[in-house]
Amino acid sequence: DIVMTQSPDSLAVSLGERASINCKSSQSVLNTSNNKNHLAWYQQKPGQPPKLFIFWASTRESGVPDRFSGSGSGTDFTLTISSLQAEDVAVYYCQQYYSIPQTFGHGTKVEIK
Amino acid sequence: QVQLQESGPGLVKPSGTLSLTCAVSGGSISSSNWWSWVRQPPGKGLEWIGEIYHGGSTNYAPSFKSRVTISVDKSKNQVSLTLRSVTAADTAVYYCARAPSGPIDSWGQGTLVTVSS
């Protein structure tokens, strides 16, 4: 199985400041046949299912604010919130869909400082 | 906009069988999608269980492979999950989800299943 390791476990950021979450996979999730990283980011708020925010490592899902961006390739990825808003308080998960079983990071909790 | 709704018993006895169904509306189960099950123990992270394509092809996580079955009922536009020999460690919110081309883009609201006598 590909192990997904997220850091930090939690972070508190002031409103309007930048938040960055890291995700490292135990092996590359870059598909060289299509040059795409099979890496997604999800946001989950309490009592709700996860919501797809980023896929192919850097493509924003429709409706996701452009303050969210994804970057990285191979084994190292980052989700960045350029200017944290109150509604961004949530747990964020990375997921690899490169190989079976698909695996998730353990989650990063984002809070307001 | 596809909608997914899980249903099934909220309480299952240890060593018993967990059976859930996922009703798909706003789209056909026979469309080009993988239909997945993901679970989340209370207060913990997400765990992928497995997936099925409308043609019947399945993929399961090795940790579940010996006791899980995912199936499709095209006539009812439903996906089902069966997990056998459950223990308290199987207590979780179970989500039905759709993955058109890799990432999961639609999720059900989830259903809590508690394993307890």
PDB file of all heavy atoms in Angstrom, chain B residues 7-45:
ATOM      1  N   SER B   7     -28.173   3.447   3.092  1.00  0.00           N
ATOM      2  CA  SER B   7     -29.176   2.981   4.048  1.00  0.00           C
ATOM      3  C   SER B   7     -28.800   1.591   4.521  1.00  0.00           C
ATOM      4  O   SER B   7     -28.104   0.839   3.826  1.00  0.00           O
ATOM      5  CB  SER B   7     -30.572   2.973   3.425  1.00  0.00           C
ATOM      6  OG  SER B   7     -30.610   2.094   2.305  1.00  0.00           O
ATOM      7  N   GLY B   8     -29.305   1.266   5.710  1.00  0.00           N
ATOM      8  CA  GLY B   8     -29.045  -0.051   6.278  1.00  0.00           C
ATOM      9  C   GLY B   8     -29.128  -0.001   7.789  1.00  0.00           C
ATOM     10  O   GLY B   8     -29.305   1.081   8.372  1.00  0.00           O
ATOM     11  N   PRO B   9     -28.987  -1.132   8.436  1.00  0.00           N
ATOM     12  CA  PRO B   9     -29.064  -1.177   9.898  1.00  0.00           C
ATOM     13  C   PRO B   9     -27.976  -0.335  10.553  1.00  0.00           C
ATOM     14  O   PRO B   9     -26.834  -0.348  10.107  1.00  0.00           O
ATOM     15  CB  PRO B   9     -28.865  -2.665  10.214  1.00  0.00           C
ATOM     16  CG  PRO B   9     -29.182  -3.377   8.952  1.00  0.00           C
ATOM     17  CD  PRO B   9     -28.804  -2.454   7.841  1.00  0.00           C
ATOM     18  N   GLY B  10     -28.351   0.362  11.592  1.00  0.00           N
ATOM     19  CA  GLY B  10     -27.386   1.175  12.314  1.00  0.00           C
ATOM     20  C   GLY B  10     -26.640   0.399  13.386  1.00  0.00           C
ATOM     21  O   GLY B  10     -25.660   0.886  13.946  1.00  0.00           O
ATOM     22  N   LEU B  11     -27.114  -0.802  13.673  1.00  0.00           N
ATOM     23  CA  LEU B  11     -26.521  -1.623  14.723  1.00  0.00           C
ATOM     24  C   LEU B  11     -26.358  -3.046  14.220  1.00  0.00           C
ATOM     25  O   LEU B  11     -27.313  -3.641  13.694  1.00  0.00           O
ATOM     26  CB  LEU B  11     -27.395  -1.598  15.975  1.00  0.00           C
ATOM     27  CG  LEU B  11     -26.890  -2.369  17.197  1.00  0.00           C
ATOM     28  CD1 LEU B  11     -25.593  -1.763  17.720  1.00  0.00           C
ATOM     29  CD2 LEU B  11     -27.955  -2.389  18.282  1.00  0.00           C
ATOM     30  N   VAL B  12     -25.168  -3.568  14.363  1.00  0.00           N
ATOM     31  CA  VAL B  12     -24.877  -4.943  13.944  1.00  0.00           C
ATOM     32  C   VAL B  12     -24.148  -5.636  15.090  1.00  0.00           C
ATOM     33  O   VAL B  12     -23.287  -5.030  15.740  1.00  0.00           O
ATOM     34  CB  VAL B  12     -23.989  -4.964  12.664  1.00  0.00           C
ATOM     35  CG1 VAL B  12     -23.684  -6.406  12.247  1.00  0.00           C
ATOM     36  CG2 VAL B  12     -24.667  -4.208  11.521  1.00  0.00           C
ATOM     37  N   LYS B  13     -24.486  -6.886  15.299  1.00  0.00           N
ATOM     38  CA  LYS B  13     -23.848  -7.628  16.385  1.00  0.00           C
ATOM     39  C   LYS B  13     -22.458  -8.123  15.979  1.00  0.00           C
ATOM     40  O   LYS B  13     -22.226  -8.423  14.801  1.00  0.00           O
ATOM     41  CB  LYS B  13     -24.712  -8.818  16.805  1.00  0.00           C
ATOM     42  CG  LYS B  13     -26.032  -8.440  17.439  1.00  0.00           C
ATOM     43  CD  LYS B  13     -26.764  -9.663  17.961  1.00  0.00           C
ATOM     44  CE  LYS B  13     -28.155  -9.328  18.458  1.00  0.00           C
ATOM     45  NZ  LYS B  13     -28.131  -8.277  19.497  1.00  0.00           N
ATOM     46  N   PRO B  14     -21.550  -8.206  16.946  1.00  0.00           N
ATOM     47  CA  PRO B  14     -20.221  -8.761  16.635  1.00  0.00           C
ATOM     48  C   PRO B  14     -20.340 -10.144  16.011  1.00  0.00           C
ATOM     49  O   PRO B  14     -21.205 -10.932  16.404  1.00  0.00           O
ATOM     50  CB  PRO B  14     -19.557  -8.821  18.021  1.00  0.00           C
ATOM     51  CG  PRO B  14     -20.251  -7.777  18.814  1.00  0.00           C
ATOM     52  CD  PRO B  14     -21.668  -7.760  18.331  1.00  0.00           C
ATOM     53  N   SER B  15     -19.490 -10.404  15.056  1.00  0.00           N
ATOM     54  CA  SER B  15     -19.435 -11.624  14.239  1.00  0.00           C
ATOM     55  C   SER B  15     -20.538 -11.668  13.185  1.00  0.00           C
ATOM     56  O   SER B  15     -20.575 -12.604  12.367  1.00  0.00           O
ATOM     57  CB  SER B  15     -19.470 -12.902  15.096  1.00  0.00           C
ATOM     58  OG  SER B  15     -20.772 -13.176  15.548  1.00  0.00           O
ATOM     59  N   GLY B  16     -21.399 -10.679  13.192  1.00  0.00           N
ATOM     60  CA  GLY B  16     -22.469 -10.631  12.216  1.00  0.00           C
ATOM     61  C   GLY B  16     -22.020 -10.023  10.893  1.00  0.00           C
ATOM     62  O   GLY B  16     -20.830  -9.812  10.654  1.00  0.00           O
ATOM     63  N   THR B  17     -23.016  -9.732  10.054  1.00  0.00           N
ATOM     64  CA  THR B  17     -22.753  -9.191   8.723  1.00  0.00           C
ATOM     65  C   THR B  17     -23.365  -7.808   8.572  1.00  0.00           C
ATOM     66  O   THR B  17     -24.550  -7.608   8.870  1.00  0.00           O
ATOM     67  CB  THR B  17     -23.325 -10.136   7.641  1.00  0.00           C
ATOM     68  OG1 THR B  17     -22.645 -11.396   7.710  1.00  0.00           O
ATOM     69  CG2 THR B  17     -23.132  -9.550   6.248  1.00  0.00           C
ATOM     70  N   LEU B  18     -22.544  -6.898   8.114  1.00  0.00           N
ATOM     71  CA  LEU B  18     -22.977  -5.519   7.848  1.00  0.00           C
ATOM     72  C   LEU B  18     -23.416  -5.448   6.393  1.00  0.00           C
ATOM     73  O   LEU B  18     -22.643  -5.818   5.486  1.00  0.00           O
ATOM     74  CB  LEU B  18     -21.797  -4.585   8.121  1.00  0.00           C
ATOM     75  CG  LEU B  18     -21.912  -3.076   7.941  1.00  0.00           C
ATOM     76  CD1 LEU B  18     -20.791  -2.397   8.740  1.00  0.00           C
ATOM     77  CD2 LEU B  18     -21.810  -2.655   6.484  1.00  0.00           C
ATOM     78  N   SER B  19     -24.618  -4.983   6.156  1.00  0.00           N
ATOM     79  CA  SER B  19     -25.127  -4.859   4.786  1.00  0.00           C
ATOM     80  C   SER B  19     -25.701  -3.468   4.581  1.00  0.00           C
ATOM     81  O   SER B  19     -26.621  -3.064   5.296  1.00  0.00           O
ATOM     82  CB  SER B  19     -26.208  -5.910   4.524  1.00  0.00           C
ATOM     83  OG  SER B  19     -25.667  -7.220   4.600  1.00  0.00           O
ATOM     84  N   LEU B  20     -25.172  -2.772   3.610  1.00  0.00           N
ATOM     85  CA  LEU B  20     -25.622  -1.423   3.290  1.00  0.00           C
ATOM     86  C   LEU B  20     -25.940  -1.321   1.808  1.00  0.00           C
ATOM     87  O   LEU B  20     -25.334  -2.005   0.984  1.00  0.00           O
ATOM     88  CB  LEU B  20     -24.544  -0.390   3.629  1.00  0.00           C
ATOM     89  CG  LEU B  20     -24.117  -0.276   5.095  1.00  0.00           C
ATOM     90  CD1 LEU B  20     -22.964   0.705   5.221  1.00  0.00           C
ATOM     91  CD2 LEU B  20     -25.285   0.155   5.967  1.00  0.00           C
ATOM     92  N   THR B  21     -26.884  -0.456   1.500  1.00  0.00           N
ATOM     93  CA  THR B  21     -27.163  -0.158   0.110  1.00  0.00           C
ATOM     94  C   THR B  21     -27.000   1.334  -0.126  1.00  0.00           C
ATOM     95  O   THR B  21     -27.130   2.146   0.799  1.00  0.00           O
ATOM     96  CB  THR B  21     -28.571  -0.593  -0.320  1.00  0.00           C
ATOM     97  OG1 THR B  21     -29.528   0.075   0.507  1.00  0.00           O
ATOM     98  CG2 THR B  21     -28.746  -2.092  -0.192  1.00  0.00           C
ATOM     99  N   CYS B  22     -26.714   1.673  -1.349  1.00  0.00           N
ATOM    100  CA  CYS B  22     -26.531   3.054  -1.763  1.00  0.00           C
ATOM    101  C   CYS B  22     -27.431   3.292  -2.962  1.00  0.00           C
ATOM    102  O   CYS B  22     -27.206   2.702  -4.037  1.00  0.00           O
ATOM    103  CB  CYS B  22     -25.075   3.310  -2.106  1.00  0.00           C
ATOM    104  SG  CYS B  22     -24.747   4.907  -2.868  1.00  0.00           S
ATOM    105  N   ALA B  23     -28.445   4.125  -2.778  1.00  0.00           N
ATOM    106  CA  ALA B  23     -29.341   4.471  -3.880  1.00  0.00           C
ATOM    107  C   ALA B  23     -28.755   5.637  -4.658  1.00  0.00           C
ATOM    108  O   ALA B  23     -28.427   6.674  -4.078  1.00  0.00           O
ATOM    109  CB  ALA B  23     -30.718   4.826  -3.337  1.00  0.00           C
ATOM    110  N   VAL B  24     -28.644   5.450  -5.961  1.00  0.00           N
ATOM    111  CA  VAL B  24     -28.082   6.481  -6.838  1.00  0.00           C
ATOM    112  C   VAL B  24     -29.229   7.159  -7.583  1.00  0.00           C
ATOM    113  O   VAL B  24     -30.039   6.495  -8.242  1.00  0.00           O
ATOM    114  CB  VAL B  24     -27.090   5.868  -7.839  1.00  0.00           C
ATOM    115  CG1 VAL B  24     -26.544   6.942  -8.777  1.00  0.00           C
ATOM    116  CG2 VAL B  24     -25.949   5.170  -7.099  1.00  0.00           C
ATOM    117  N   SER B  25     -29.315   8.458  -7.484  1.00  0.00           N
ATOM    118  CA  SER B  25     -30.325   9.213  -8.217  1.00  0.00           C
ATOM    119  C   SER B  25     -29.650  10.337  -8.997  1.00  0.00           C
ATOM    120  O   SER B  25     -28.553  10.765  -8.661  1.00  0.00           O
ATOM    121  CB  SER B  25     -31.379   9.783  -7.267  1.00  0.00           C
ATOM    122  OG  SER B  25     -30.767  10.622  -6.306  1.00  0.00           O
ATOM    123  N   GLY B  26     -30.317  10.777 -10.058  1.00  0.00           N
ATOM    124  CA  GLY B  26     -29.755  11.835 -10.890  1.00  0.00           C
ATOM    125  C   GLY B  26     -28.698  11.341 -11.866  1.00  0.00           C
ATOM    126  O   GLY B  26     -28.006  12.145 -12.482  1.00  0.00           O
ATOM    127  N   GLY B  27     -28.605  10.031 -11.992  1.00  0.00           N
ATOM    128  CA  GLY B  27     -27.630   9.445 -12.909  1.00  0.00           C
ATOM    129  C   GLY B  27     -27.763   7.949 -12.916  1.00  0.00           C
ATOM    130  O   GLY B  27     -28.328   7.350 -11.982  1.00  0.00           O
ATOM    131  N   SER B  28     -27.246   7.325 -13.940  1.00  0.00           N
ATOM    132  CA  SER B  28     -27.353   5.879 -14.062  1.00  0.00           C
ATOM    133  C   SER B  28     -26.142   5.180 -13.454  1.00  0.00           C
ATOM    134  O   SER B  28     -25.001   5.614 -13.627  1.00  0.00           O
ATOM    135  CB  SER B  28     -27.475   5.482 -15.537  1.00  0.00           C
ATOM    136  OG  SER B  28     -27.389   4.082 -15.680  1.00  0.00           O
ATOM    137  N   ILE B  29     -26.426   4.085 -12.785  1.00  0.00           N
ATOM    138  CA  ILE B  29     -25.368   3.266 -12.210  1.00  0.00           C
ATOM    139  C   ILE B  29     -24.526   2.659 -13.318  1.00  0.00           C
ATOM    140  O   ILE B  29     -23.392   2.236 -13.085  1.00  0.00           O
ATOM    141  CB  ILE B  29     -25.971   2.165 -11.312  1.00  0.00           C
ATOM    142  CG1 ILE B  29     -24.939   1.658 -10.313  1.00  0.00           C
ATOM    143  CG2 ILE B  29     -26.535   1.027 -12.126  1.00  0.00           C
ATOM    144  CD1 ILE B  29     -24.921   2.426  -9.044  1.00  0.00           C
ATOM    145  N   SER B  30     -25.070   2.636 -14.522  1.00  0.00           N
ATOM    146  CA  SER B  30     -24.365   2.032 -15.654  1.00  0.00           C
ATOM    147  C   SER B  30     -23.500   3.026 -16.415  1.00  0.00           C
ATOM    148  O   SER B  30     -22.933   2.680 -17.448  1.00  0.00           O
ATOM    149  CB  SER B  30     -25.380   1.394 -16.625  1.00  0.00           C
ATOM    150  OG  SER B  30     -26.066   0.339 -15.986  1.00  0.00           O
ATOM    151  N   SER B  31     -23.435   4.242 -15.914  1.00  0.00           N
ATOM    152  CA  SER B  31     -22.551   5.222 -16.556  1.00  0.00           C
ATOM    153  C   SER B  31     -21.098   4.878 -16.236  1.00  0.00           C
ATOM    154  O   SER B  31     -20.807   4.025 -15.393  1.00  0.00           O
ATOM    155  CB  SER B  31     -22.890   6.627 -16.076  1.00  0.00           C
ATOM    156  OG  SER B  31     -22.809   6.704 -14.678  1.00  0.00           O
ATOM    157  N   SER B  32     -20.194   5.551 -16.897  1.00  0.00           N
ATOM    158  CA  SER B  32     -18.766   5.232 -16.781  1.00  0.00           C
ATOM    159  C   SER B  32     -18.166   5.762 -15.480  1.00  0.00           C
ATOM    160  O   SER B  32     -17.440   6.751 -15.468  1.00  0.00           O
ATOM    161  CB  SER B  32     -18.015   5.810 -17.990  1.00  0.00           C
ATOM    162  OG  SER B  32     -18.501   5.255 -19.177  1.00  0.00           O
ATOM    163  N   ASN B  33     -18.525   5.102 -14.408  1.00  0.00           N
ATOM    164  CA  ASN B  33     -18.020   5.505 -13.096  1.00  0.00           C
ATOM    165  C   ASN B  33     -17.630   4.289 -12.275  1.00  0.00           C
ATOM    166  O   ASN B  33     -18.176   3.198 -12.467  1.00  0.00           O
ATOM    167  CB  ASN B  33     -19.106   6.262 -12.310  1.00  0.00           C
ATOM    168  CG  ASN B  33     -19.489   7.571 -12.935  1.00  0.00           C
ATOM    169  OD1 ASN B  33     -18.681   8.476 -13.025  1.00  0.00           O
ATOM    170  ND2 ASN B  33     -20.733   7.673 -13.364  1.00  0.00           N
ATOM    171  N   TRP B  34     -16.703   4.500 -11.386  1.00  0.00           N
ATOM    172  CA  TRP B  34     -16.456   3.532 -10.330  1.00  0.00           C
ATOM    173  C   TRP B  34     -17.288   3.967  -9.136  1.00  0.00           C
ATOM    174  O   TRP B  34     -17.348   5.155  -8.804  1.00  0.00           O
ATOM    175  CB  TRP B  34     -14.973   3.502  -9.962  1.00  0.00           C
ATOM    176  CG  TRP B  34     -14.136   2.830 -10.998  1.00  0.00           C
ATOM    177  CD1 TRP B  34     -13.545   3.410 -12.089  1.00  0.00           C
ATOM    178  CD2 TRP B  34     -13.791   1.432 -11.050  1.00  0.00           C
ATOM    179  NE1 TRP B  34     -12.851   2.462 -12.807  1.00  0.00           N
ATOM    180  CE2 TRP B  34     -12.994   1.247 -12.202  1.00  0.00           C
ATOM    181  CE3 TRP B  34     -14.085   0.342 -10.244  1.00  0.00           C
ATOM    182  CZ2 TRP B  34     -12.487  -0.005 -12.557  1.00  0.00           C
ATOM    183  CZ3 TRP B  34     -13.583  -0.906 -10.594  1.00  0.00           C
ATOM    184  CH2 TRP B  34     -12.796  -1.068 -11.743  1.00  0.00           C
ATOM    185  N   TRP B  35     -17.911   3.009  -8.475  1.00  0.00           N
ATOM    186  CA  TRP B  35     -18.728   3.271  -7.296  1.00  0.00           C
ATOM    187  C   TRP B  35     -17.998   2.690  -6.090  1.00  0.00           C
ATOM    188  O   TRP B  35     -17.704   1.498  -6.050  1.00  0.00           O
ATOM    189  CB  TRP B  35     -20.120   2.666  -7.464  1.00  0.00           C
ATOM    190  CG  TRP B  35     -20.798   3.185  -8.701  1.00  0.00           C
ATOM    191  CD1 TRP B  35     -20.816   2.599  -9.933  1.00  0.00           C
ATOM    192  CD2 TRP B  35     -21.492   4.425  -8.837  1.00  0.00           C
ATOM    193  NE1 TRP B  35     -21.491   3.399 -10.823  1.00  0.00           N
ATOM    194  CE2 TRP B  35     -21.915   4.519 -10.182  1.00  0.00           C
ATOM    195  CE3 TRP B  35     -21.810   5.461  -7.958  1.00  0.00           C
ATOM    196  CZ2 TRP B  35     -22.641   5.612 -10.674  1.00  0.00           C
ATOM    197  CZ3 TRP B  35     -22.528   6.538  -8.448  1.00  0.00           C
ATOM    198  CH2 TRP B  35     -22.939   6.612  -9.780  1.00  0.00           C
ATOM    199  N   SER B  36     -17.717   3.553  -5.121  1.00  0.00           N
ATOM    200  CA  SER B  36     -16.809   3.187  -4.037  1.00  0.00           C
ATOM    201  C   SER B  36     -17.501   3.186  -2.682  1.00  0.00           C
ATOM    202  O   SER B  36     -18.568   3.803  -2.515  1.00  0.00           O
ATOM    203  CB  SER B  36     -15.647   4.192  -3.975  1.00  0.00           C
ATOM    204  OG  SER B  36     -15.005   4.337  -5.216  1.00  0.00           O
ATOM    205  N   TRP B  37     -16.876   2.510  -1.750  1.00  0.00           N
ATOM    206  CA  TRP B  37     -17.258   2.598  -0.347  1.00  0.00           C
ATOM    207  C   TRP B  37     -16.024   3.029   0.446  1.00  0.00           C
ATOM    208  O   TRP B  37     -14.925   2.473   0.265  1.00  0.00           O
ATOM    209  CB  TRP B  37     -17.787   1.268   0.178  1.00  0.00           C
ATOM    210  CG  TRP B  37     -19.152   0.931  -0.332  1.00  0.00           C
ATOM    211  CD1 TRP B  37     -19.461   0.175  -1.432  1.00  0.00           C
ATOM    212  CD2 TRP B  37     -20.412   1.346   0.225  1.00  0.00           C
ATOM    213  NE1 TRP B  37     -20.827   0.099  -1.594  1.00  0.00           N
ATOM    214  CE2 TRP B  37     -21.433   0.806  -0.583  1.00  0.00           C
ATOM    215  CE3 TRP B  37     -20.782   2.116   1.327  1.00  0.00           C
ATOM    216  CZ2 TRP B  37     -22.802   1.004  -0.327  1.00  0.00           C
ATOM    217  CZ3 TRP B  37     -22.129   2.314   1.580  1.00  0.00           C
ATOM    218  CH2 TRP B  37     -23.126   1.761   0.759  1.00  0.00           C
ATOM    219  N   VAL B  38     -16.233   4.018   1.300  1.00  0.00           N
ATOM    220  CA  VAL B  38     -15.187   4.560   2.169  1.00  0.00           C
ATOM    221  C   VAL B  38     -15.786   4.641   3.571  1.00  0.00           C
ATOM    222  O   VAL B  38     -16.951   4.991   3.715  1.00  0.00           O
ATOM    223  CB  VAL B  38     -14.741   5.961   1.699  1.00  0.00           C
ATOM    224  CG1 VAL B  38     -13.704   6.552   2.651  1.00  0.00           C
ATOM    225  CG2 VAL B  38     -14.197   5.906   0.270  1.00  0.00           C
ATOM    226  N   ARG B  39     -14.982   4.350   4.571  1.00  0.00           N
ATOM    227  CA  ARG B  39     -15.519   4.449   5.919  1.00  0.00           C
ATOM    228  C   ARG B  39     -14.645   5.358   6.774  1.00  0.00           C
ATOM    229  O   ARG B  39     -13.490   5.639   6.456  1.00  0.00           O
ATOM    230  CB  ARG B  39     -15.644   3.066   6.553  1.00  0.00           C
ATOM    231  CG  ARG B  39     -14.343   2.438   7.011  1.00  0.00           C
ATOM    232  CD  ARG B  39     -14.596   1.082   7.664  1.00  0.00           C
ATOM    233  NE  ARG B  39     -13.398   0.519   8.254  1.00  0.00           N
ATOM    234  CZ  ARG B  39     -13.367  -0.652   8.876  1.00  0.00           C
ATOM    235  NH1 ARG B  39     -14.469  -1.396   8.983  1.00  0.00           N
ATOM    236  NH2 ARG B  39     -12.236  -1.098   9.398  1.00  0.00           N
ATOM    237  N   GLN B  40     -15.262   5.808   7.884  1.00  0.00           N
ATOM    238  CA  GLN B  40     -14.575   6.729   8.789  1.00  0.00           C
ATOM    239  C   GLN B  40     -14.985   6.408  10.219  1.00  0.00           C
ATOM    240  O   GLN B  40     -16.087   6.751  10.661  1.00  0.00           O
ATOM    241  CB  GLN B  40     -14.927   8.188   8.445  1.00  0.00           C
ATOM    242  CG  GLN B  40     -14.177   9.221   9.239  1.00  0.00           C
ATOM    243  CD  GLN B  40     -14.396  10.618   8.688  1.00  0.00           C
ATOM    244  OE1 GLN B  40     -15.475  10.964   8.220  1.00  0.00           O
ATOM    245  NE2 GLN B  40     -13.355  11.438   8.734  1.00  0.00           N
ATOM    246  N   PRO B  41     -14.108   5.760  10.982  1.00  0.00           N
ATOM    247  CA  PRO B  41     -14.409   5.520  12.398  1.00  0.00           C
ATOM    248  C   PRO B  41     -14.605   6.851  13.112  1.00  0.00           C
ATOM    249  O   PRO B  41     -14.022   7.875  12.721  1.00  0.00           O
ATOM    250  CB  PRO B  41     -13.167   4.787  12.903  1.00  0.00           C
ATOM    251  CG  PRO B  41     -12.555   4.186  11.683  1.00  0.00           C
ATOM    252  CD  PRO B  41     -12.837   5.157  10.576  1.00  0.00           C
ATOM    253  N   PRO B  42     -15.416   6.876  14.152  1.00  0.00           N
ATOM    254  CA  PRO B  42     -15.682   8.125  14.876  1.00  0.00           C
ATOM    255  C   PRO B  42     -14.404   8.841  15.288  1.00  0.00           C
ATOM    256  O   PRO B  42     -13.528   8.242  15.928  1.00  0.00           O
ATOM    257  CB  PRO B  42     -16.482   7.656  16.091  1.00  0.00           C
ATOM    258  CG  PRO B  42     -17.137   6.397  15.643  1.00  0.00           C
ATOM    259  CD  PRO B  42     -16.172   5.754  14.717  1.00  0.00           C
ATOM    260  N   GLY B  43     -14.284  10.100  14.870  1.00  0.00           N
ATOM    261  CA  GLY B  43     -13.132  10.911  15.246  1.00  0.00           C
ATOM    262  C   GLY B  43     -11.845  10.580  14.535  1.00  0.00           C
ATOM    263  O   GLY B  43     -10.781  11.111  14.881  1.00  0.00           O
ATOM    264  N   LYS B  44     -11.913   9.697  13.526  1.00  0.00           N
ATOM    265  CA  LYS B  44     -10.692   9.279  12.844  1.00  0.00           C
ATOM    266  C   LYS B  44     -10.740   9.610  11.356  1.00  0.00           C
ATOM    267  O   LYS B  44     -11.622  10.332  10.902  1.00  0.00           O
ATOM    268  CB  LYS B  44     -10.478   7.783  13.061  1.00  0.00           C
ATOM    269  CG  LYS B  44     -10.252   7.422  14.522  1.00  0.00           C
ATOM    270  CD  LYS B  44      -9.849   5.968  14.681  1.00  0.00           C
ATOM    271  CE  LYS B  44      -9.571   5.655  16.146  1.00  0.00           C
ATOM    272  NZ  LYS B  44      -9.166   4.239  16.340  1.00  0.00           N
ATOM    273  N   GLY B  45      -9.772   9.114  10.625  1.00  0.00           N
ATOM    274  CA  GLY B  45      -9.626   9.441   9.219  1.00  0.00           C
ATOM    275  C   GLY B  45     -10.400   8.524   8.289  1.00  0.00           C
ATOM    276  O   GLY B  45     -11.170   7.659   8.719  1.00  0.00           O
TER     277      GLY B  45
END
